[in-house]
Amino acid sequence: MAAPLYTTESGLYFHAGKILIPTVGLPARGKTHISRALERYLRWMGIKTRVISLGDFRRKTLGGANELPPDYFTLGEKSPETEALRQRVSSGCEQLIWDFFNEGGQVVIYDANNGSQGRRRRLAEKFVKEGIHVIFLETLCDNMEIVEANIRSVKISSPDYKGWDSDKAVADYWSRIKDHEKHYEPVEETTWPFIRIQNVGEKIMVNNIQGYLQSRIVFFLMNIHNRYRVIYFARSGQSLIEHSYKADSDLSPAGWEYAERLKEFVLERRAKNLQARGFKPEDRKFVIWTSTRRRAYHTAWPFLRIHPAPEQVPEIEQLTQASIGATGLTSAQPSKPSHVDVLNADLVASTSASTGIKVIEKPQMSEINPGIWDGLSPDEAKNLYPDEWERFMNDPYSFRAPRAESYHDLSVRLEPILIELEREQSDLLIIGHASVIRCLLGYLIGLPASEVPAIEIARGDLLEVVPASYGVHSRAFHFWDGPGRRGALGGGEEAAKDPKNFYENYAEDTKGKRTNQDKKSDIA
């Protein structure tokens, strides 16, 4: 269950009813990728959703392709034994669908080919009879490059082809597709609502879609794709004033060093990823998102290579040094120029002509507002506001301090960012605040809401997330041990977290504090 956008006591949208979404399409057309992405989004919205995959159930029940009769994947006439096996798998999947609905689930995405009109008619009539809304989701693809890439990146790595030579596995899967093409019947019947997607997002057609929830499903599907891309997450550099939300503080000298090291590490890591897949880094766009806070978008400055030499902006140099002195910090070297709004007041989206890297500021990505707890340590907040602190400890995700935001409020604010995240086709680096990264990771990985405040986001770690057809693959890389690593001004592995900014540097332990809503929503 991902961190929900909206919640109800039961996790259901009563006015929407129960919905079954059977996928329709030839193999390797992106059905699984779309199904998993839609499941992730609906769960984040607070809707009890589950993908039931015919292929996964068949492998669990009967085993891999090597253990099946030769005529199992061919259409047309089959032996009685093969027909019995196929019927066993089909009936088992349908029973899983009924079980999920009976246990309180609201949306089931049935990931299967469903390539014949007769099969679709029998399936729809069976569920419509029991009051279930049926919406067919058809994926068509006439771009053979997309199909080939999908086969090589997804299908041949499935358990069906464990131990196979990759070229032989691709050839075998192409033979499956050719056989299905002979018998495939596109969705032309208008008896039931349907959504048709061409080339995984290139074009979309809808028929008889009604109501809020069905419209939200269409809206989401209009913004997805299955092109390979990597999403990187990193915290912004250390600022001159770390413990204040109200102070839009600039980077400290260590923060500027961190920004330079982040640029070097990200570009090196990205080049390795792309070269491993046969791409040239210079041939693919790279986009960076930051908030509008100085410490966030200044951390992206080295990627643009636009800042002038210090002697060209003496008034900014003096201002930076004055700020350092006011905070008690010292630096052996002059600080880099700081106030980008002085240099370029309209820097909302900047592009480096030499690197092709684009930096975009997004105001929705500002850190969580701590309200009256701004600048307080956990102990101070506990002593000054004991009642509020107890409520926060009981439910760190949903509790809202006076004049503050909760993590739930932050998730609502980030909804447009999530849609843009799904739509973005280029490799993406998000330089943000710990609270924002927690919510975005909660969405991508599908964490329970109560676990979002517990995600540790250390400054100096680069998180690498690759959306895939069967979920997301994530890794963490450590690249920085300088000041600010643990939030303290002195830095170092032994330095304590900044006690005055616990929303950013303090991941609340939520073990044993899962809400009833979280527990109900984990029916999967």
Side-chain angles (χ1 to χ4, degrees):
M1 170 61 191
L5 179 59
Y6 309 111
T7 57
T8 63
E9 180 66 23
S10 65
L12 299 176
Y13 284 22
F14 290 103
H15 58 278
K18 296 182 178 181
I19 300 174
L20 172 64
I21 306 176
T23 63
V24 181
L26 292 167
R29 262 55 179 183
K31 297 186 298 299
T32 298
H33 174 85
I34 292 172
S35 298
R36 297 294 177 181
L38 181 58
E39 177 192 42
R40 181 174 66 238
Y41 179 70
L42 292 177
R43 284 186 169 188
W44 177 76
M45 285 183 64
I47 298 168
K48 293 181 181 179
T49 307
R50 182 179 179 185
V51 171
I52 293 178
S53 169
L54 185 74
D56 288 347
F57 184 80
R58 184 258 304 162
R59 283 184 284 269
K60 182 178 180 181
T61 305
L62 304 179
N66 290 333
E67 304 173 49
L68 298 174
D71 60 344
Y72 189 90
F73 293 109
T74 61
L75 301 181
E77 282 194 31
K78 296 180 176 58
S79 67
E81 294 78 9
T82 300
E83 287 288 0
L85 289 177
R86 292 178 65 91
Q87 183 58 41
R88 176 184 169 191
V89 171
S90 178
S91 299
C93 277
E94 290 183 16
Q95 187 57 51
L96 289 179
I97 295 173
W98 286 119
D99 291 344
F100 184 74
F101 282 139
N102 292 334
E103 291 169 356
Q106 184 160 21
V107 177
V108 171
I109 305 166
Y110 183 25
D111 182 12
N113 291 337
N114 296 310
S116 69
Q117 291 185 6
R119 166 67 180 157
R120 294 194 293 268
R121 183 181 65 255
R122 290 190 295 271
L123 184 69
E125 289 175 347
K126 189 179 299 184
F127 283 91
V128 168
K129 182 180 178 181
E130 300 299 325
I132 307 295
H133 300 288
V134 176
I135 305 172
F136 288 108
L137 175 57
E138 183 178 31
T139 61
L140 303 177
C141 186
D142 54 16
N143 186 330
M144 291 301 104
E145 291 183 3
I146 296 178
V147 176
E148 177 81 16
N150 193 35
I151 293 174
R152 290 191 174 274
S153 65
V154 180
K155 298 304 180 183
I156 65 173
S157 61
S158 76
D160 282 343
Y161 293 107
K162 186 176 182 180
W164 283 52
D165 174 78
S166 61
D167 290 334
K168 290 182 178 179
V170 170
D172 181 79
Y173 204 84
W174 270 116
S175 68
R176 284 197 207 179
I177 294 175
K178 297 299 182 183
D179 184 69
H180 280 74
E181 286 176 343
K182 299 175 185 177
H183 302 87
Y184 182 73
E185 297 174 332
V187 177
E188 296 177 349
E189 60 272 29
T190 58
T191 309
W192 302 280
F194 70 78
I195 304 168
R196 177 180 296 152
I197 300 177
Q198 181 80 28
N199 292 336
V200 196
E202 182 179 287
K203 185 189 298 183
I204 187 167
M205 176 187 296
V206 299
N207 171 65
N208 200 25
I209 296 299
Q210 300 178 355
Y212 172 76
L213 182 53
Q214 295 184 25
S215 298
R216 293 290 295 192
I217 290 171
V218 173
F219 169 71
F220 177 77
L221 294 175
M222 292 173 65
N223 290 281
I224 66 171
H225 63 88
N226 70 339
R227 296 190 180 184
Y228 174 81
R229 47 80 182 260
V230 180
I231 304 171
Y232 301 96
F233 292 92
R235 285 189 59 176
S236 56
Q238 182 195 47
S239 59
L240 293 168
I241 305 175
E242 281 277 274
H243 59 268
S244 175
Y245 171 83
K246 296 177 182 177
D248 188 8
S249 178
D250 208 340
L251 290 176
S252 68
W256 285 110
E257 294 175 9
Y258 168 91
E260 292 285 351
R261 177 61 186 135
L262 174 64
K263 180 203 72 173
E264 295 170 0
F265 189 82
V266 168
L267 294 183
E268 177 184 345
R269 179 64 199 163
R270 178 173 178 261
K272 289 181 179 179
N273 280 338
L274 293 177
Q275 289 168 4
R277 298 183 65 89
F279 298 117
K280 295 181 179 179
E282 58 270 21
D283 293 338
R284 289 173 60 93
K285 295 180 180 179
F286 188 36
V287 179
I288 301 174
W289 292 354
T290 78
S291 76
T292 53
R293 308 285 282 186
R294 284 188 176 90
R295 63 180 176 273
Y297 64 70
H298 284 185
T299 304
W301 259 26
F303 290 91
L304 294 175
R305 305 178 185 276
I306 62 170
H307 26 62
E311 59 272 14
Q312 292 178 288
V313 282
E315 71 282 1
I316 297 177
E317 176 70 20
Q318 294 167 8
L319 180 58
T320 302
Q321 294 300 327
S323 299
I324 295 173
T327 58
L329 294 172
T330 60
S331 175
Q333 297 178 349
S335 168
K336 288 187 172 66
S338 56
H339 293 281
V340 71
D341 50 327
V342 176
L343 297 173
N344 184 354
D346 296 322
L347 182 59
V348 176
S350 297
T351 304
S352 169
S354 60
T355 64
I357 297 174
K358 186 175 184 179
V359 177
I360 304 174
E361 298 171 26
K362 294 185 176 294
Q364 301 97 326
M365 286 175 49
S366 293
E367 72 266 42
I368 192 170
N369 186 341
I372 61 171
W373 288 357
D374 187 21
L376 299 182
S377 69
D379 287 340
E380 290 170 339
K382 181 179 180 180
N383 292 332
L384 293 174
Y385 305 98
D387 294 339
E388 287 82 359
W389 182 258
E390 182 178 358
R391 291 165 58 196
F392 169 70
M393 293 298 293
N394 288 334
D395 190 359
Y397 178 80
S398 300
F399 174 73
R400 180 190 301 117
R403 298 191 295 278
E405 287 181 302
S406 66
Y407 275 98
H408 177 263
D409 296 329
L410 181 57
S411 291
V412 174
R413 167 152 61 87
L414 288 172
E415 181 186 14
I417 299 298
L418 299 183
I419 298 300
E420 290 189 57
L421 193 64
E422 294 288 356
R423 187 167 56 232
E424 181 60 62
Q425 298 185 18
S426 304
D427 290 337
L428 176 65
L429 168 63
I430 294 178
I431 300 176
H433 312 282
S435 54
V436 172
I437 295 175
R438 288 182 184 119
C439 289
L440 295 178
L441 284 176
Y443 165 75
L444 286 172
I445 299 175
L447 294 177
S450 64
E451 294 181 15
V452 169
I455 301 175
E456 286 279 4
I457 307 295
R459 179 179 287 129
D461 287 351
L462 179 71
L463 305 180
E464 180 182 284
V465 177
V466 181
S469 294
Y470 292 94
V472 296
H473 306 297
S474 59
R475 301 175 67 184
F477 301 91
H478 175 62
F479 67 92
W480 171 262
D481 280 316
R485 161 67 179 170
R486 294 295 183 186
L489 298 179
E493 285 294 330
E494 301 301 323
K497 296 174 183 177
D498 183 357
K500 298 289 187 178
N501 194 7
F502 63 89
Y503 264 126
E504 286 299 290
N505 296 310
Y506 174 79
E508 171 57 32
D509 178 17
T510 62
K511 185 177 180 181
K513 300 175 185 176
R514 298 187 63 185
T515 64
N516 290 332
Q517 179 63 35
D518 287 332
K519 296 173 183 177
K520 291 178 183 178
S521 300
D522 276 343
I523 305 175

